[in-house]
Amino acid sequence: MYCVREVTNDLYWVGANDHRLTLFENIHPIPRGVSYNAYLLLDEHTVLFDTVDWSACRQLLENLDHLLAGRPLDYLVINHMEPDHGASIEEILLRYPDVKVISTEKSFMLMRQFHFQVDTHELITVKEGDTYTFGSHTVTFVGAPMVHWPEAMVTFDVTNGVLFSADAFGSFIALDGKLFADEVNFDRDWIDEARRYLTNIVGKYGPHIQLLLKKAGGILDQIKYICPLHGPVWRKDLMYFIEKYDKWSRYEPEEKGIMIVYASMYGNTEAAAQALAARLCEKGCPNVAVYDVSNTHVSYLVSEAFKYSHIVLTSVTYNLGIYPVMHNFLMDLKALNLQNRTFAIIENGSWACKSGDLMQKFVDEELKNMTVLNERVSMASALGADKAAELDALADALVESVAE
């Protein structure tokens, strides 16, 4: 059964929702699913913008059959070749043998690497600034390399103001009938998953996102719709989401607040993290989030690190080093290029308390533009009453720093 929705005149969403996949890119949990978005333009010529993951190909084909109603598919525009969008390309080529394919030179290279038989079709290679007309609709192509693959582009329909934004402005969560961002409470129900998507999938490439945003700035007054490859379509309050992307890609904190992430073996280090959280709230700083690094998937931790201005690393010493999952978290922050945060440290060690110095060394030497507060809590085995003054001093320093 077909499942389509109209985006605007002549343009339809023909994608699919996926609640069966548990790990996006086989690494990031998606408990609320994900959408694969593709769009069909019914102009003088018919145009499909991107495809879907192979697992959703049947739904895409049923949607196309319904809307085309016997018409041929004339063009296939591929903005992004990653398999969750490009895996169904060859099936489209088989079903519509006369379709012409429009994409970038690097995209065609990747199609051949995936062993798609594209060279039996007419291939139209486009680059930055090229235009193409499908009837009443004219589109222009804009390069978006490393957002988040090197071949990526976005396509802007100058006729109706639709920006086909590829992986930019996307989000986890299946649409489940609600195509538009204004059909959901995005700030309540979606923003955390949108941030987790951006920071974990594209976070490393903040400068490339900034470049794309600068290009979009020149046509900002013309953009009426943003059609990403995952998540809802934007037709209202576009600047709300654009500003979020701007902030995240500049590595600026979304909120003034404190993330406490702890690594605890037997609960003693966790108790110190909870004691600090309580003191912070008592001192008038309630925007505190506490996470166990051992049982919180790192994609959520990375998202929260991009959200908050301050991060407290609370770790036991393990084999004279940083607790392994805490070290892995720090390595992910480095890989995803997190910057411009203030850190504080709580360390624990029963006979050799080393984790604090090692965490500070990592932040100082491996991360960019970070500040580490001088106040530190060091404990041997468990937090005792004799450490109350140190804990209060750390809490005071954090409250003061957040207020700056």
Side-chain angles (χ1 to χ4, degrees):
M1 178 65 181
Y2 65 85
C3 180
V4 302
R5 283 203 62 184
E6 184 179 39
V7 178
T8 185
N9 291 341
D10 302 330
L11 183 66
Y12 297 85
W13 176 84
V14 291
N17 294 289
D18 191 346
H19 283 285
R20 295 189 178 191
L21 188 70
T22 57
L23 294 175
F24 187 82
E25 295 187 342
N26 210 24
I27 188 171
H28 307 297
I30 45 171
R32 298 167 66 188
V34 69
S35 70
Y36 310 116
N37 298 340
Y39 305 91
L40 180 67
L41 178 67
L42 297 178
D43 199 350
E44 179 181 331
H45 298 286
T46 60
V47 189
L48 176 62
F49 293 90
D50 295 291
T51 72
V52 298
D53 187 83
W54 181 247
S55 64
C57 185
R58 178 181 175 180
Q59 184 66 70
L60 172 66
L61 295 175
E62 290 180 353
N63 293 341
L64 292 176
D65 285 345
H66 168 68
L67 288 172
L68 289 171
R71 293 182 64 184
L73 180 64
D74 298 313
Y75 292 93
L76 171 62
V77 176
I78 296 298
N79 290 294
H80 183 26
M81 250 306 295
E82 194 170 8
D84 54 333
H85 311 296
S88 297
I89 289 175
E90 193 161 41
E91 187 65 25
I92 295 295
L93 300 182
L94 290 170
R95 296 291 184 108
Y96 303 98
D98 296 323
V99 68
K100 302 177 181 67
V101 187
I102 300 175
S103 199
T104 64
E105 181 179 359
K106 285 185 178 179
S107 183
F108 287 126
M109 177 195 73
L110 287 168
M111 292 180 202
R112 296 182 183 100
Q113 285 184 191
F114 282 109
H115 303 289
F116 295 164
Q117 302 302 310
V118 295
D119 291 312
T120 58
H121 291 255
E122 182 177 339
L123 307 182
I124 301 169
T125 302
V126 294
K127 59 185 183 303
E128 177 97 22
D130 285 351
T131 62
Y132 214 88
T133 298
F134 303 114
S136 62
H137 290 261
T138 298
V139 302
T140 186
F141 304 101
V142 180
M146 301 317 302
V147 185
H148 67 118
W149 275 26
E151 90 305 348
M153 69 176 183
V154 301
T155 302
F156 181 60
D157 188 330
V158 300
T159 304
N160 59 11
V162 171
L163 177 67
F164 299 97
S165 62
D167 264 352
F169 305 110
S171 176
F172 294 136
I173 306 181
L175 294 173
D176 297 340
K178 298 174 286 292
L179 177 61
F180 298 102
D182 54 274
E183 294 178 323
V184 301
N185 189 329
F186 196 90
D187 202 50
R188 183 190 68 192
D189 299 331
W190 282 72
I191 190 62
D192 289 337
E193 288 295 81
R195 185 193 318 104
R196 188 164 70 95
Y197 170 84
L198 181 279
T199 56
N200 285 276
I201 306 301
V202 200
K204 180 180 179 65
Y205 304 110
H208 297 83
I209 299 172
Q210 282 290 304
L211 180 59
L212 180 59
L213 289 174
K214 288 177 181 176
K215 292 179 182 179
I219 57 170
L220 205 54
D221 59 333
Q222 302 173 50
I223 299 174
K224 307 302 180 187
Y225 298 84
I226 298 176
C227 292
L229 290 178
H230 297 291
V233 171
W234 289 81
R235 62 182 176 181
K236 298 179 180 178
D237 301 322
L238 272 60
M239 287 308 302
Y240 162 86
F241 205 36
I242 291 172
E243 287 170 359
K244 293 289 187 184
Y245 257 65
D246 179 47
K247 186 177 289 288
W248 296 333
S249 60
R250 285 188 289 110
Y251 306 105
E252 294 298 327
E254 190 177 337
E255 294 182 7
K256 286 276 193 175
I258 302 169
M259 173 192 186
I260 302 175
V261 57
Y262 67 84
S264 185
M265 294 176 64
Y266 302 110
N268 295 300
T269 310
E270 176 186 6
Q274 293 291 350
L276 176 63
R279 278 169 168 74
L280 290 168
C281 293
E282 286 176 346
K283 294 175 182 292
C285 187
N287 193 16
V288 176
V290 181
Y291 294 95
D292 182 349
V293 73
S294 292
N295 61 28
T296 306
H297 192 273
V298 70
S299 66
Y300 293 95
L301 298 177
V302 166
S303 177
E304 293 295 275
F306 272 76
K307 177 180 180 180
Y308 291 108
S309 59
H310 290 64
I311 302 170
V312 181
L313 303 174
T314 308
S315 181
V316 67
T317 301
Y318 192 84
N319 287 334
L320 298 181
I322 305 170
Y323 196 62
V325 283
M326 178 65 81
H327 186 261
N328 291 343
F329 167 58
L330 291 172
M331 289 295 290
D332 275 346
L333 294 186
K334 175 185 176 181
L336 293 167
N337 208 21
L338 183 73
Q339 303 171 38
N340 309 315
R341 297 299 186 275
T342 297
F343 282 83
I345 290 172
I346 298 177
E347 60 177 347
N348 191 3
S350 291
W351 66 88
C353 197
K354 298 289 188 181
S355 60
D357 286 345
L358 293 172
M359 289 188 293
Q360 175 149 4
K361 185 174 188 289
F362 189 101
V363 172
D364 287 341
E365 297 182 3
E366 303 294 335
L367 303 182
K368 300 175 183 177
N369 198 28
M370 301 299 192
T371 300
V372 181
L373 297 178
N374 292 327
E375 292 76 7
R376 182 193 295 188
V377 175
S378 298
M379 55 183 175
S381 301
L383 192 68
D386 59 317
K387 294 293 181 179
E390 285 184 27
L391 196 64
D392 278 327
L394 178 57
D396 288 337
L398 282 164
V399 171
E400 181 180 351
S401 180
V402 169
E404 290 178 351

